[in-house]
Amino acid sequence: MSSASTPPAGSLARRLGLGDAIAIGLGSMIGAGVFAAFAPAAAAAGAALLVGLVIAGFVAFCNATSSAQLAAQYPTSGGTYVYGRERLGEWTGFVAGWSFVVGKTASSAAMALTFASYAVPGPWVKPVAVLAVAALTVVNTLGVTRTALLTRVLVVVSLIALAVAITIGFGHTAASAALPGPEVTLYGVLQSAGFLFFAFAGYARVATMGEEVVDPARTIPRAITTALAAVLVVYALVAVSALHALGPAGLAASPAPLDTVAATSGAAWPGVVIRIGAATAALGALLAMIAGVGRTTLAMARNRDLPGWLSAVHPRFRVPYRAELLLGLIVCILVLTTDLRGAIGFSSFGVLLYYLVANASAWTQDRAHRRYPRLLAVAGAIGCAVLVATLPPTSILAGVLVVAAGIGYRFVRLRATAARDGRSEKNGGMP
């Protein structure tokens, strides 16, 4: 291979085509959340669940358009960390990147535990979750094309399971469908939108991998919008079929709504398919999270917002292998020592803050780089702020504490760097 086609040392290789990028976007969104999010959404909004889905989809669309046009202008690793840094300043970019890395690390542990809880009996959940994290970390370190290939397989299996649930939902009706659902209120509808928004979260994951996409200015916007449109259709079909089968009351009362939909058929095999689909979806989301967090960590390390040794890129596979291996180790420790499935509200806070920064960054772009009306960025920012307000107070408090910890970390790191540079100048350039 000629030197002209060899990526510079320390950079990632552009190996992802449009199909790969769309698959990563789908794998990021179609996680275990779709198999569970409709129950709390129905409990909050009752029959107006579909209104909540429309609101969540619109906010996701606004965020996606902002992320897409920013990725076209800044086709490098890091996503909103880079956009916020370039458009709004270093501190704003850091807050977005920190929120993403910490929040998605916790989410990765939650997805690993969710996969294992579907796949094996109780005593084996944590060991199998650790094995899943280790295996997917290895896949990611072997190159981005392996990540994309495995993501395609996992997405197909998940979509088959959802197709089974949708078919059964439209063809069967449980007794609960005739019961009155929860009272419809404006706050409840907005809260349902908040629950459902996090089933969409991940549509811009490919933007964090912008340094590895072929023709990024064209490919990334197309991949983000195509993946989001496909998921919107799938989620709408899931919602309507689940409401048809169970009704708002039955859907709200089910801890595993698509399992309950499958049970209306009277056969055992649909439930098995749904469980396989949920486990596979959790694996797909985990795979995409490891890839996305690794690239954001790489970008932050390049700017010394995280330790510089994390910016190393494997000379053969062209991936941020140190960042991914450290992430895998931390996630394994979290899996073994905690159970984050019900305690990652701050991750939701962090995701909304991340996209709020993306929308604010897109609003500052000039006409030459703007692909969508500026009004969409404004609507996306307002939507993120409104959805934050619907989070439980404990989640908001946890999110604020996580952001505060990150700000304190960066402040101490900057002070230490300044002191070290000062000592170096006194010593005539010697450390």
Side-chain angles (χ1 to χ4, degrees), residues 94-191:
F94 173 82
V95 168
W98 177 266
S99 299
F100 181 83
V101 168
V102 175
K104 290 301 181 183
T105 298
S107 294
S108 296
M111 282 297 102
L113 289 165
T114 300
F115 155 73
S117 67
Y118 276 110
V120 295
W124 291 94
V125 166
K126 291 199 171 188
V128 169
V130 168
L131 288 175
V133 173
L136 295 187
T137 300
V138 169
V139 169
N140 268 307
T141 58
L142 291 177
V144 72
T145 53
R146 272 81 166 183
T147 300
L149 177 61
L150 181 56
T151 300
R152 286 174 185 257
V153 174
L154 297 175
V155 165
V156 169
V157 175
S158 301
L159 288 175
I160 290 172
L162 290 175
V164 169
I166 290 167
T167 302
I168 292 173
F170 280 124
H172 298 80
T173 303
S176 63
L179 299 175
E183 180 184 358
V184 177
T185 65
L186 177 60
Y187 179 79
V189 170
L190 292 175
Q191 191 172 59

Side-chain angles (χ1 to χ4, degrees), residues 17 50 71 261 298 305 310 397 418:
L50 295 177
V261 169
L298 167 70
D305 279 335
L310 290 171
L397 177 61

Side-chain angles (χ1 to χ4, degrees), residues 7-89:
S11 68
L12 306 182
R14 297 197 182 278
R15 294 171 174 166
L16 296 176
L18 178 61
D20 297 321
I22 291 173
I24 289 173
L26 290 173
S28 301
M29 283 183 278
I30 303 178
V34 67
F35 291 85
F38 288 98
L49 160 67
L50 295 177
V51 179
L53 181 64
V54 170
I55 294 172
F58 177 71
V59 175
F61 173 75
C62 293
N63 295 346
T65 55
S66 291
S67 298
Q69 67 183 24
L70 285 161
Q73 184 175 357
Y74 302 104
T76 187
S77 294
T80 299
Y81 165 71
V82 173
Y83 314 149
R85 187 181 174 90
E86 293 290 334
R87 308 300 310 179
L88 303 173

Side-chain angles (χ1 to χ4, degrees), residues 376-411:
L376 288 177
V378 175
I382 293 173
C384 288
V386 169
L387 294 183
V388 162
T390 70
L391 292 174
T394 53
S395 297
I396 296 175
L397 177 61
V400 170
L401 291 176
V402 168
V403 171
I407 290 173
Y409 163 80
R410 187 171 194 264
F411 180 77

